[in-house]
């Protein structure tokens, strides 16, 4: 088994634990490379099937390429697809900096979807290496009744035993690719031939490393216009992945505040 | 790029609070050129803004709450790369309150660095962490004696601290790969030898890291695949799980435990592969179809027939405790072992250990952050392995009120495999109805047949009472017969020794013979220690209705004082292995039909008690 095999086996194990132990789960689909890998891993875990609904929390401000991708693969992958619209900017915490406020719309949209469909848990494609705060996550991560993440008092998690039963009202986040890196995601995407949005490939000396809303996501300088080139670039770069995500850089604790309140 | 395809080695950095773990990691990232662009500058600027002198630990303190509190509150995960390969560093907190986070981090590691302050020496958490590594099964460790700059790079001071820690680890059976004197702040002995410590001849830290081997997947151990789920998404019925050890081929005959069902592997299923696999090995998450539609469910362990896991409802364990409420005798928890779950009760605490000092504590409870040895009992049979035979199916987590509160590793020392209890080898035999009924036999004898099952420690008085009772009952006209070691061990069980398994089989046979005597109208008195509840339960099931468990009760101290055959003396000397009460457990009856306290009553009174009991229960 090589490194990708080992990561894949662990993720499949996590997805199957989630399926066996939790009711009413959905996959959060951001249309990006990470959540595409999660959907792909589901098909691996469940032998060609995706036994969870796939939820897109839509800010209405994604790139047109992203919407086209979504409509095509929701059909081709045979997904039970749910689109949830986000509330307007005015509904968010005015104390947050502007880009974080835009990102917070997604949190509100997500909460609305959870209420509407009664999902008890969400499967998310976040990774520890993306961001220092995400590094602290658990694979099965409970949120209390108000949706808050008690990051100072997380349950212990060891020996592949996850916290899989909860008091009523708890909402659970499941993170099947938490231990992957950005590079792992690309190498796996290449190995498996998983489709990706064209925006990740360099055009006119720039490419998107991370995809979010049109107005708060920026391309980074790059000439990587193929999967091989992206992988080669990432093997040497010291620029962080979320460098192009405005909300991370407005204040030192922006991201932490978003996460505590329920952001992905 | 060299090592580009290598798997990152997960390592954990442990140590007492303020001994410099975070400083070490920060500096290591810098030395190996692993800091993201602009990170160091950003941190320097941020420190300046706050009016604080720059510290390497800030590199890790990415979170506001950490900076406010001044301690790492949870594991973080940082990546770096040496010329050889990539690493994932799990920087675990040193603070005592955060032991659960330390365990969370350390359990994922394949090697550990223990950081000790050269000035303060080995402290409480240093020892505790050493102990936990040992329980978590992490054997690849190295020690860094840090802050050498504060002791003038003294070889003597280093030697004293190193020796102290080496001695402690040796008590746990751990031997560090290296003990390196470092100054994390100054970067001494991290990447290369420091000119400030010419007396140190060993490898610098990075060389030590690069010498840690990857943990090997247990492909050569017996096959274990805990069943995670059974899927029926389409026409296939797929048994899914991860192979924890061993290997599996299409066509293999497999056994599911504890249900004890067998089938043959028809296919190994996979999606998006060039061709269906014919083999799978440890580490892979797979799915199989079977040649027969047997009912299996989540929690069972699939193995080969020839090398199955143990089956038991009672076992010993070494545990570490993270719960806020202490672990106590009689408490009930949810046990999670591989994919199975069961309710277990703490039957005994044999040892409680202060992990900081390795001192025994009174074995009444195990407090938070403590450890110990306990006996756990479940209502139903569990399939498991001893930790030393198969770590992945020999370890478990205990859950209380939804939250994991402890972890443990299984030992079966003194307990038998109970697989034979469920294995019915001759399944094609059907009972032949007797022409003479039980009632007819009882009518002729004037009493019912049945079993008086004596159980108790060696020296409690079982044989003396059994033979006296036989004589009395015979004189009163009863059909009665004593089964004891003398007439059973010499013939029927001549092939059996005294291992826990053989003793269990011995008792099984006695139970069956006693049942036949009872069926023939006799009162069978069996006189065996029969220390295991599970064995006595099986004897009860064999006899059917008229089974009477009689506890011949005397304290261990009393029995040892009596020692009619000198056995206790020999057991204490270690001449007899697995001696009940000394080196093997005695499980006292929970609800015996009769208790005969031979340490309180004289022989005559005991006998009278038994005679009265028989008259009441057997006379027609």
């Amino acid at each position: 088994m090589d490194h990708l095999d080992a990561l894949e086996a662990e993720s499949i194990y996590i997805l199957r634990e989630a399926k066996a132990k939790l009711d009413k789960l959905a996959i959060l689909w951001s249309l990006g490379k990470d959540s595409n890998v999660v959907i792909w891993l589901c098909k691996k875990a469940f032998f060609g099937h995706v036994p969870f609904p796939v939820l897109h929390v839509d800010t209405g401000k994604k790139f047109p390429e992203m919407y086209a991708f979504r409509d095509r693969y929701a059909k081709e992958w045979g997904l039970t697809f749910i689109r949830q619209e986000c509330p307007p900017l005015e509904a968010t915490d005015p104390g947050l900096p502007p880009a974080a406020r835009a990102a917070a719309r997604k949190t509100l949209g997500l909460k609305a979807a959870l209420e509407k469909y009664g999902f008890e848990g969400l499967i998310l494609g976040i990774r520890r290496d993306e961001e220092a705060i995400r590094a602290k996550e658990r694979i099965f991560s409970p949120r209390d009744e108000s949706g808050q993440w008690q990051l100072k008092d997380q349950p212990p998690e060891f020996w592949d035993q996850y916290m899989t039963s909860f008091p009523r009202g708890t909402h659970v986040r499941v993170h099947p690719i938490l231990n992957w890196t950005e590079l792992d995601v690309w190498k796996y995407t290449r190995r498996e031939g998983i489709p990706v949005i064209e925006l990740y490939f360099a055009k006119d000396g720039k490419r998107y490393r991370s995809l979010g809303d049109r107005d708060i996501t920026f391309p980074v300088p790059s000439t990587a216009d193929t999967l091989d080139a992206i992988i080669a670039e990432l093997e040497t770069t010291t620029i962080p992945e979320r460098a192009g995500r405005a909300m991370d850089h407005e204040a030192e604790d922006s991201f932490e505040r978003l996460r505590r309140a329920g952001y992905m | 790029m060299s090592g580009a395809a290598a798997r990152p080695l997960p390592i954990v950095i442990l140590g007492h609070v303020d001994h410099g773990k975070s400083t070490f990691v920060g500096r290591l990232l810098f030395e190996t050129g692993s800091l993201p662009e602009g990170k160091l500058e950003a941190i320097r600027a941020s420190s300046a803004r706050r009016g604080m002198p720059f510290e390497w630990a800030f590199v890790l303190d990415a979170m506001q709450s950490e900076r406010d509190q001044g301690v790492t509150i949870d594991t973080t995960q940082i990546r770096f790369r040496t010329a050889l390969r990539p690493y994932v560093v799990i920087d675990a907190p040193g603070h005592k309150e955060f032991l659960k986070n330390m365990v969370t981090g350390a359990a994922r590691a394949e090697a550990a660095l223990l950081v000790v302050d050269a000035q303060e020496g080995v402290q409480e958490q240093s020892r505790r962490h050493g102990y936990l590594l040992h329980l978590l099964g992490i054997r690849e460790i190295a020690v860094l004696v840090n802050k050498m700059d504060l002791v003038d790079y003294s070889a003597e001071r280093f030697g004293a601290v190193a020796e102290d820690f080496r001695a402690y680890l040796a008590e746990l059976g751990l031997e560090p790969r290296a003990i390196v004197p470092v100054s994390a702040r100054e970067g001494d002995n991290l990447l290369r030898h420091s000119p400030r410590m010419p007396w140190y001849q060993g490898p610098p830290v990075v060389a030590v890291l690069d010498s840690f081997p990857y943990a090997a997947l247990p492909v050569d151990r017996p096959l274990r695949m805990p069943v995670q789920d059974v899927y029926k998404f389409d026409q296939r019925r797929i048994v899914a799980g991860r192979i924890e050890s061993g290997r599996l081929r299409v066509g293999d005959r497999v056994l599911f435990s504890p249900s004890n069902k067998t089938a043959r592997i028809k296919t190994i299923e996979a999606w998006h592969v060039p061709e269906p696999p014919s083999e799978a090995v440890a580490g892979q998450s797979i799915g199989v179809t079977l040649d027969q539609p047997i009912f299996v469910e989540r929690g069972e362990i699939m193995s080969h027939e020839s090398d199955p896991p143990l089956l038991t409802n009672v076992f010993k364990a070494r545990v570490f405790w993270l719960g806020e409420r202490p672990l106590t005798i009689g408490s009930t928890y949810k046990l999670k072992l591989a994919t199975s779950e069961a309710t277990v009760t703490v039957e005994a605490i044999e040892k409680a250990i202060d992990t900081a000092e390795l001192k025994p504590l009174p074995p009444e409870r195990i407090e938070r952050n403590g450890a110990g040895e306990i006996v756990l009992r479940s209502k139903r049979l569990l399939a498991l392995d001893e930790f030393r035979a198969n770590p992945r199916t020999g370890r478990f987590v205990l859950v209380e009120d939804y939250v994991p509160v402890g972890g443990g590793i299984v030992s079966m020392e003194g307990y038998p495999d109970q697989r034979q209890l469920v294995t019915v080898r001759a399944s094609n035999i059907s009972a032949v109805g007797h022409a003479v009924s039980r009632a007819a036999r009882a009518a002729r004898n004037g009493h019912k047949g049945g079993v008086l099952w004596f159980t108790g420690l060696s020296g409690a008085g079982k044989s003396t009472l059994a033979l006296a009772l036989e004589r009395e009952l015979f004189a009163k006209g009863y059909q009665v017969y004593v089964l004891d070691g003398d007439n059973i061990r010499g013939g029927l069980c001549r092939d059996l020794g005294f291992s826990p398994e053989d003793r269990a089989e011995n008792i099984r046979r006695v139970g069956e013979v006693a049942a036949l005597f009872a069926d023939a109208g006799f009162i069978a008195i069996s006189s065996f220690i029969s220390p295991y509840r599970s064995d006595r339960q099986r004897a009860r099931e064999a006899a059917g209705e008229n089974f009477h468990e009689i506890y011949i009760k005397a304290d261990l101290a009393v029995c040892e004082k009596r020692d009619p055959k000198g056995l206790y003396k020999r057991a204490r000397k270690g001449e007899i292995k697995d001696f009940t009460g000394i080196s093997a457990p005695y499980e006292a009856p929970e609800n015996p039909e009769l208790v005969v306290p031979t340490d309180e009553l004289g022989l005559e009174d005991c006998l009278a008690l038994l005679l009265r009991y028989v008259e009441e229960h057997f006379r027609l």
Side-chain angles (χ1 to χ4, degrees):
Chain A
M1 282 180 82
D2 67 16
H3 180 45
L4 289 181
D5 294 331
L7 288 171
E8 180 191 66
E10 185 196 41
S11 301
I12 290 174
Y13 188 81
I14 293 163
L15 288 166
R16 288 176 177 170
E17 285 300 285
K19 168 102 172 57
K21 298 301 294 180
L22 304 174
D23 295 327
K24 299 243 17 159
L25 279 173
I27 301 173
L28 195 66
W29 192 21
S30 73
L31 316 174
K33 62 188 190 309
D34 304 301
S35 50
N36 291 343
V37 162
V38 170
I39 292 171
W40 193 266
L41 288 165
C42 271
K43 290 169 94 70
K44 288 259 178 176
F46 307 113
F47 305 96
H49 303 265
V50 180
F52 314 106
V54 173
L55 173 67
H56 179 221
V57 178
D58 193 356
T59 55
K61 295 166 96 175
K62 300 292 173 199
F63 297 89
E65 292 89 336
M66 294 172 78
Y67 290 117
F69 184 91
R70 179 187 76 187
D71 296 341
R72 173 171 174 193
Y73 286 101
K75 232 179 255 149
E76 262 182 47
W77 285 340
L79 306 178
T80 307
F81 177 73
I82 298 172
R83 177 178 166 274
Q84 170 68 43
E85 214 160 304
C86 294
L89 193 68
E90 291 68 46
T92 63
D93 175 5
L96 285 168
R101 237 186 127 181
R105 286 184 60 216
K106 239 160 94 179
T107 313
L108 295 178
L110 186 62
K111 282 185 179 160
L114 295 182
E115 236 160 74
K116 188 153 112 199
Y117 298 100
F119 294 129
E120 290 166 16
L122 278 180
I123 299 170
L124 291 115
I126 66 158
R127 308 186 323 269
R128 291 191 205 273
D129 76 321
E130 278 177 274
E131 221 289 330
I133 291 146
R134 283 180 176 169
K136 314 228 168 207
E137 266 292 3
R138 297 292 192 256
I139 288 172
F140 280 63
S141 180
R143 298 290 185 276
D144 66 18
E145 279 174 68
S146 58
Q148 291 257 321
W149 180 34
Q150 300 298 336
L151 74 124
K152 286 189 185 174
D153 189 23
Q154 300 197 69
E157 190 169 76
F158 53 96
W159 291 344
D160 301 327
Q161 294 291 358
Y162 312 112
M163 186 169 168
T164 51
S165 56
F166 302 91
R168 276 183 72 85
T170 312
H171 170 73
V172 192
R173 300 273 179 90
V174 181
H175 303 130
I177 62 166
L178 196 60
N179 291 331
W180 295 46
T181 63
E182 185 185 12
L183 191 55
D184 296 328
V185 165
W186 282 117
K187 284 182 172 170
Y188 189 70
T189 299
R190 176 174 67 180
R191 181 180 98 173
E192 297 289 319
I194 304 170
V196 287
I197 292 176
E198 286 295 317
L199 294 166
Y200 284 113
F201 299 113
K203 231 163 88 186
D204 307 324
K206 285 188 169 182
R207 76 175 190 91
Y208 288 89
R209 257 179 88 181
S210 175
L211 291 176
D213 281 3
R214 223 163 40 224
D215 51 351
I216 55 168
T217 310
F218 307 98
V220 294
S222 168
T223 53
D225 53 359
T226 62
L227 284 173
D228 288 343
I230 287 176
I231 288 163
E233 176 190 282
L234 292 177
E235 276 176 342
T236 52
T237 188
T238 52
I239 297 169
E241 178 179 6
R242 295 178 63 89
R245 302 292 284 267
M247 59 199 231
D248 292 17
H249 309 292
E250 290 168 326
E252 277 179 65
D253 63 348
S254 297
F255 197 72
E256 184 184 338
R257 282 162 64 191
L258 279 169
R259 291 274 298 155
R260 275 185 201 272
Y263 186 76
M264 296 56 85
Chain B
M1 182 172 214
S2 84
R7 174 168 74 84
L9 183 80
I11 60 167
V12 65
I13 320 264
L14 300 171
H16 196 75
V17 65
D18 288 335
H19 281 200
K21 297 176 305 294
S22 299
T23 303
F24 167 72
V25 178
R27 185 73 197 223
L28 183 69
L29 292 179
F30 171 72
E31 294 284 334
T32 54
S34 309
L35 284 181
E37 200 167 276
K39 188 86 178 174
L40 200 57
E41 292 68 27
I43 295 162
R44 282 191 197 279
S46 151
S47 309
R49 255 203 321 278
R50 285 159 202 267
M52 291 164 78
F54 168 79
E55 284 185 33
W56 286 102
F58 295 165
V59 172
L60 301 189
D61 295 345
M63 291 175 64
Q64 184 140 25
S65 49
E66 270 181 12
R67 278 191 299 270
D68 293 347
Q69 238 178 39
V71 291
T72 313
I73 60 154
D74 201 339
T75 57
T76 55
Q77 186 154 291
I78 297 112
R79 287 164 191 270
F80 73 95
R81 172 186 281 284
T82 65
L84 180 76
R85 65 180 168 195
Y87 291 83
V88 184
V89 185
I90 304 156
D91 175 47
H95 211 275
K96 181 172 167 181
E97 287 172 55
F98 305 129
L99 202 67
K100 63 178 179 150
N101 293 334
M102 177 257 154
V103 167
T104 300
R108 286 205 310 269
E110 290 173 31
L113 296 180
L114 287 156
V115 180
V116 191
D117 185 320
Q119 283 182 303
E120 292 192 13
V122 180
Q123 295 290 315
E124 182 190 344
Q125 295 305 315
S126 326
R127 296 197 195 92
R128 211 186 284 279
H129 289 163
Y131 192 88
L132 280 163
L133 287 178
H134 143 79
L135 267 191
L136 290 169
I138 296 163
R139 307 202 60 82
E140 289 295 342
I141 58 173
V143 176
L144 310 186
V145 178
N146 190 24
K147 306 194 188 178
M148 287 301 291
D149 52 320
L150 301 183
V151 296
D152 298 326
Y153 299 102
S154 153
E156 286 72 36
R157 183 60 197 154
F158 167 74
V161 175
E163 222 22 71
D164 188 17
F165 211 2
R166 190 188 291 281
Y168 175 84
L169 294 173
E171 279 185 67
L172 302 173
L174 291 171
E175 203 197 324
R177 198 163 265 270
I179 303 185
V180 190
V182 302
S183 166
R185 200 168 61 187
E186 304 301 326
D188 292 303
N189 279 341
L190 263 49
L191 195 60
R192 55 188 73 86
H193 278 105
S194 164
R196 297 185 182 112
M197 289 176 273
W199 46 266
Y200 175 70
Q201 303 294 319
V205 176
V206 167
V208 174
L209 286 171
D210 285 346
S211 72
F212 286 129
Y214 287 109
L217 283 166
V219 288
D220 295 323
R221 290 185 194 262
L223 171 69
R224 298 288 183 265
M225 190 190 94
V227 175
Q228 252 187 308
D229 219 331
V230 180
Y231 300 128
K232 190 104 190 28
F233 295 116
D234 41 43
Q235 71 290 348
R236 297 169 294 178
R237 192 163 161 280
I238 301 176
V239 180
R242 180 171 61 192
I243 302 184
E244 299 294 356
S245 64
R247 51 180 75 238
L248 176 75
R249 285 182 193 84
V250 171
D252 282 2
R253 200 161 176 76
V254 289
L255 171 70
F256 292 87
S257 300
S259 75
N260 222 34
K261 289 173 185 153
T262 58
R264 217 175 265 287
I265 301 291
K266 194 163 104 192
T267 59
I268 298 175
E269 296 291 324
W271 178 78
H272 199 75
V273 291
E275 53 186 291
S278 60
E279 194 192 54
V281 297
Q284 289 182 291
S285 288
I286 63 158
V288 298
T289 63
L290 304 172
D291 69 339
Q292 282 170 50
I294 56 170
F295 177 78
V296 292
E297 57 189 338
R298 179 179 162 88
E300 300 209 49
I301 294 181
M302 185 173 89
S303 69
H304 286 123
E305 264 185 314
S306 54
D307 215 337
L310 300 164
L311 285 181
T312 188
N313 64 352
V314 56
F315 60 90
K316 269 199 218 182
R318 302 164 74 158
V319 294
F320 55 87
W321 198 246
L322 308 168
E324 278 175 37
R325 281 201 293 277
L327 176 143
T328 51
I329 297 170
S331 307
T332 292
Y333 303 99
K334 180 162 84 180
L335 169 130
K336 293 173 88 174
L337 186 149
T339 57
S340 71
E341 291 183 10
T343 303
V344 293
T345 304
V346 179
E347 187 161 275
I349 298 177
E350 298 192 333
K351 267 186 208 164
I353 299 157
D354 170 359
T355 52
E357 303 293 336
L358 277 199
K359 279 190 199 126
L361 299 168
E364 288 147 13
R365 65 178 69 84
I366 298 175
E367 299 282 356
R368 186 174 207 187
N369 299 336
E373 295 180 22
I374 62 172
V375 177
L376 288 175
R377 179 178 291 278
S378 69
K379 287 223 167 61
R380 59 178 188 81
L381 281 181
L382 304 171
L384 47 74
D385 284 297
E386 285 200 277
F387 181 77
R388 59 174 179 194
N390 209 330
R392 305 192 67 97
T393 43
R395 63 192 187 188
F396 59 86
V397 165
L398 295 176
V399 176
E400 183 179 36
D401 296 339
Y402 310 107
V403 183
V405 286
I409 62 179
V410 175
S411 152
M412 290 292 288
E413 205 184 301
Y415 290 97
D417 185 1
Q418 295 176 29
R419 178 168 295 279
Q420 50 190 342
L421 268 66
V422 295
T423 305
V424 181
R425 288 200 177 80
S427 57
N428 58 344
I429 295 171
S430 50
V432 177
H434 276 276
V436 182
S437 70
R438 273 189 180 219
R441 290 178 207 271
R444 177 183 288 177
N445 290 336
H447 66 85
K448 289 183 274 188
V451 177
L452 295 174
W453 189 276
F454 286 18
T455 173
L457 290 166
S458 176
K462 296 181 300 298
S463 291
T464 310
L465 281 172
L467 294 172
L469 181 63
E470 182 185 36
R471 204 168 44 241
E472 291 290 327
L473 289 176
F474 186 78
K476 286 171 182 279
Y478 281 87
Q479 297 278 26
V480 58
Y481 190 70
V482 171
L483 300 169
D484 62 11
D486 289 340
N487 56 23
I488 292 290
R489 280 278 182 185
L492 179 66
C493 296
R494 195 161 49 195
D495 57 327
L496 300 176
F498 289 87
S499 69
E501 281 75 19
D502 278 4
R503 292 175 70 161
E505 173 60 15
N506 183 50
I507 296 305
R508 186 190 71 81
R509 292 183 197 176
V510 172
E512 294 290 344
V513 171
L516 289 176
F517 268 91
D519 200 36
F522 276 67
I523 294 176
I525 307 173
S526 88
S527 170
F528 291 85
I529 299 172
S530 46
Y532 301 109
R533 269 182 213 159
S534 52
D535 291 341
R536 298 196 297 266
Q537 181 56 31
R538 189 162 48 158
R540 184 185 289 276
E541 281 158 19
E545 45 203 274
N546 219 2
F547 182 91
H548 303 259
E549 186 176 26
I550 296 175
Y551 183 19
I552 310 298
K553 184 168 172 288
D555 267 4
L556 179 62
V558 172
C559 294
E560 195 167 351
K561 212 161 131 203
R562 288 178 187 159
D563 204 6
K565 300 174 196 163
L567 296 173
Y568 281 95
K569 240 180 234 105
R570 289 178 55 205
R572 286 283 181 205
K573 279 193 221 152
E575 290 171 17
I576 307 176
K577 238 184 109 225
D578 297 326
F579 191 78
T580 300
I582 305 293
S583 47
Y586 177 75
E587 299 173 357
E590 282 178 310
N591 294 303
E593 271 80 2
L594 180 67
V595 179
V596 182
T598 67
D599 51 358
E600 289 171 19
L601 302 177
L603 176 64
E604 289 308 312
D605 288 341
C606 291
L607 195 55
L609 193 64
L610 283 161
L611 279 169
R612 212 162 46 235
Y613 184 85
V614 173
E615 291 281 342
E616 257 172 50
H617 290 85
F618 287 82
R619 190 54 90 182
L620 282 185

